[in-house]
Amino acid sequence: MAIISVSECLSFGWTTFKKRPWLLIAAPFVTGIAAGIGSGVITGILGVVIKGGMIKLISFVVSLGINTLSTLGILSVYLKAHDDPATASFGDLWHPRSYWKALGTIILIDIILLIGFALLIVPGIILSIALGFSTLIVIDQNLMPVATLKESARLTRGHRWDLFVLALAIVGVNLLGLLALVIGIFVTGPVSIIAMVHAY
């Protein structure tokens, strides 16, 4: 069984980033701003006609829905950039094909991780690693939510320690990015995502 190399994943991420830096920086930045504005506008409009605590629940649901679409778009760009940076474009940010499957998958993951971390920290960490490829799988294979979780568990089996070490390395790299006058995160963030896509 092949070992997932932290250095290889990060090196691949850096090499790929250098080929399309502005696209890989702009994709999550622009999408994040659009998602924030969209959530704010929709919640604001609904807040005019809906009063009380109900608006908090509606705001959460709206944010979850918009953030899911945003995540699909960003990861779609990065998946394409991983295979061939020249083929990735801003048009890939619109990726609604797997939307409902992704939304169902994210909700299931949140429930599972909530239970896992409520029991003990370690089970929560193991589950988060085991299910870590789920969103990538939804985009790449368009599977149903339960099948997606099973496939992520299958793919990560035997590699979870390597993936844990990679996750720690990614956290470290991004902390360095934040220390580099914060703007470094615009480099380390994309490199980290590509590194994780490469591990997938």
Side-chain angles (χ1 to χ4, degrees):
M1 182 178 290
I3 296 175
I4 295 175
S5 167
V6 172
S7 59
E8 179 188 341
C9 289
L10 290 174
S11 176
F12 185 91
W14 171 242
T15 301
T16 303
F17 172 78
K18 290 189 293 182
K19 295 177 181 177
R20 297 293 301 279
W22 297 114
L23 171 66
L24 297 175
I25 290 173
F29 185 71
V30 171
T31 306
I33 291 176
I37 293 174
S39 296
V41 169
I42 294 173
T43 302
I45 293 172
L46 292 173
V48 174
V49 294
I50 300 172
K51 303 297 181 181
M54 192 65 180
I55 190 61
K56 293 183 179 180
L57 175 61
I58 292 173
S59 176
F60 171 77
V61 171
V62 169
S63 295
L64 177 62
I66 291 178
N67 288 337
T68 297
L69 189 61
S70 172
T71 299
L72 284 175
I74 293 169
L75 292 182
S76 178
V77 170
Y78 278 78
L79 276 166
K80 269 201 169 181
H82 173 274
D83 294 340
D84 183 359
T87 64
S89 70
F90 281 109
D92 296 313
L93 287 172
W94 179 244
H95 190 87
R97 179 175 70 103
S98 307
Y99 178 78
W100 294 110
K101 293 175 182 177
L103 183 61
T105 298
I106 289 170
I107 291 172
L108 277 179
I109 290 173
D110 287 344
I111 293 171
I112 292 170
L113 293 185
L114 181 63
I115 295 171
F117 280 106
L119 294 174
L120 283 172
I121 298 298
V122 173
I125 293 173
I126 293 172
L127 285 169
S128 64
I129 294 171
L131 305 178
F133 289 151
S134 297
T135 311
L136 290 170
I137 291 169
V138 168
I139 298 170
D140 193 33
Q141 302 183 39
N142 198 31
L143 299 179
M144 296 297 288
V146 173
T148 295
L149 300 187
K150 288 181 178 179
E151 179 64 6
S152 182
R154 185 189 70 80
L155 288 177
T156 58
R157 190 174 297 118
H159 297 290
R160 288 170 192 167
W161 175 252
D162 297 333
L163 290 168
F164 177 67
V165 174
L166 176 60
L168 290 179
I170 284 173
V171 170
V173 166
N174 283 291
L175 284 176
L176 291 175
L178 287 172
L179 291 173
L181 302 177
V182 180
I183 59 172
I185 198 71
F186 290 108
V187 174
T188 60
V191 169
S192 298
I193 298 173
I194 299 170
M196 191 56 72
V197 172
H198 188 62
Y200 164 66

